[in-house]
Amino acid sequence: MTKLSVNINKVATIRNSRGGNIPDVAKTALDCELFGAQGITVHPRPDERHIRYSDVYEIKPRLKTELNIEGYPSQRFVELVTDVKPAQVTLVPDTPDALTSNRGWDVKANLNELTGLVELFRSNGIRTSIFVETDPENIACAAKTGTDRIELYTGPYAENYAHDRDEAIAPFIKAAKLAGELGLGLNAGHDLNLLNLAWFISQIPSTDEVSIGHALISDALYFGLEKTISMYNECLKTNTEITY
């Protein structure tokens, strides 16, 4: 079954809005594990407006499942990743002021930089994933870096799903097929939720992992965290859309 990695950035956003330690970000990560998540994702940004670098150091030794650290490979970020040694690092081309991840890498233009980063992380025993869109040439370039996986930016899929789900998924099916032919593992993330997740996985069962944060944490406000994680896992297991 496709693994569910819960992005806990939004929990940190709530905490930071008031100061203190409510909600407890580290406890939330451990609860997500307890409730059935197969991984935890964090995305520390330069201004630490949600996940802080100190959070990552606190969370990593306490986790039993995989930690995925995603972000732009600034010097500070690279030092964090090589120090903490998560199971996976996902390289994202965010600018420092980006509200959220909204595009994939132009891998061809950044081939040398990304190749060097992949070599560094793999030498530290860290699985590497590069955040990309569905352009075939770009995916082929990603394979040249030596990366273990790519993560498909699913924002366009989520945006077009309600209009025409067949049309929305078509470029992602082609991208996934190419990734498989090139020997790349496949992750997916951005704006996936209980309404559009099942169709994506049913059409691309080779997806290794989905990283979901905003929608899942929002759903937890209504259903509770334990029930929500169970719902997402059921969606991944049965490929059944969950309406509410």
Side-chain angles (χ1 to χ4, degrees):
M1 189 178 79
T2 302
K3 291 183 177 180
L4 171 66
S5 185
V6 177
N7 186 319
I8 59 172
N9 275 26
K10 282 296 182 292
V11 178
T13 301
I14 297 171
R15 176 200 62 188
N16 295 353
S17 69
R18 287 288 296 270
N21 196 39
I22 298 175
D24 187 323
V25 173
K27 183 178 185 302
T28 300
L30 297 176
D31 285 342
C32 287
E33 279 191 333
L34 179 66
F35 299 151
Q38 295 89 45
I40 299 296
T41 292
V42 293
H43 188 147
R45 286 189 163 86
D47 60 5
E48 298 188 292
R49 64 180 180 268
H50 31 62
I51 286 292
R52 300 169 182 153
Y53 278 60
S54 59
D55 292 326
V56 183
Y57 282 102
E58 180 181 2
I59 291 168
K60 172 58 170 65
R62 299 171 66 182
L63 288 179
K64 297 182 177 64
T65 55
E66 292 192 349
L67 176 65
N68 170 47
I69 304 178
E70 62 181 29
Y72 180 80
S74 65
Q75 181 177 347
R76 187 184 182 199
F77 179 86
V78 172
E79 290 173 354
L80 171 74
V81 173
T82 54
D83 192 20
V84 171
K85 292 182 173 56
Q88 177 175 268
V89 58
T90 302
L91 302 176
V92 181
D94 283 347
T95 57
D97 60 346
L99 179 64
T100 185
S101 304
N102 58 10
R103 62 185 176 90
W105 283 97
D106 180 343
V107 183
K108 185 176 182 179
N110 296 276
L111 186 61
N112 290 337
E113 177 189 3
L114 290 170
T115 300
L117 289 165
V118 169
E119 291 174 353
L120 173 63
F121 293 136
R122 293 190 74 179
S123 70
N124 280 272
I126 304 166
R127 185 173 71 237
T128 306
S129 179
I130 296 177
F131 197 62
V132 297
E133 296 172 54
T134 56
D135 176 66
E137 182 181 8
N138 212 37
I139 293 172
C141 286
K144 293 178 181 178
T145 68
T147 189
D148 301 285
R149 297 183 182 181
I150 56 170
E151 178 174 336
L152 292 177
Y153 166 56
T154 50
Y157 163 75
E159 184 178 351
N160 295 323
Y161 175 81
H163 172 67
D164 187 333
R165 67 180 189 177
D166 290 304
E167 181 179 293
I169 197 67
F172 291 87
I173 293 174
K174 292 179 181 178
K177 182 176 183 294
L178 176 59
E181 292 170 351
L182 294 170
L184 295 169
L186 186 69
N187 298 339
H190 201 85
D191 288 342
L192 294 174
N193 57 41
L194 289 171
L195 298 177
N196 61 38
L197 179 59
W199 180 245
F200 187 93
I201 298 301
S202 70
Q203 299 303 299
I204 310 177
S206 60
T207 307
D208 293 298
E209 174 186 292
V210 290
S211 175
I212 304 177
H214 182 83
L216 190 150
I217 299 303
S218 297
D219 289 334
L221 295 176
Y222 295 93
F223 304 117
L225 187 59
E226 182 173 8
K227 174 63 175 177
T228 299
I229 290 175
S230 176
M231 293 167 74
Y232 274 88
N233 275 327
E234 183 66 17
C235 189
L236 289 169
K237 181 179 180 180
T238 64
N239 294 337
T240 302
E241 177 184 305
I242 297 177
T243 58
Y244 53 92

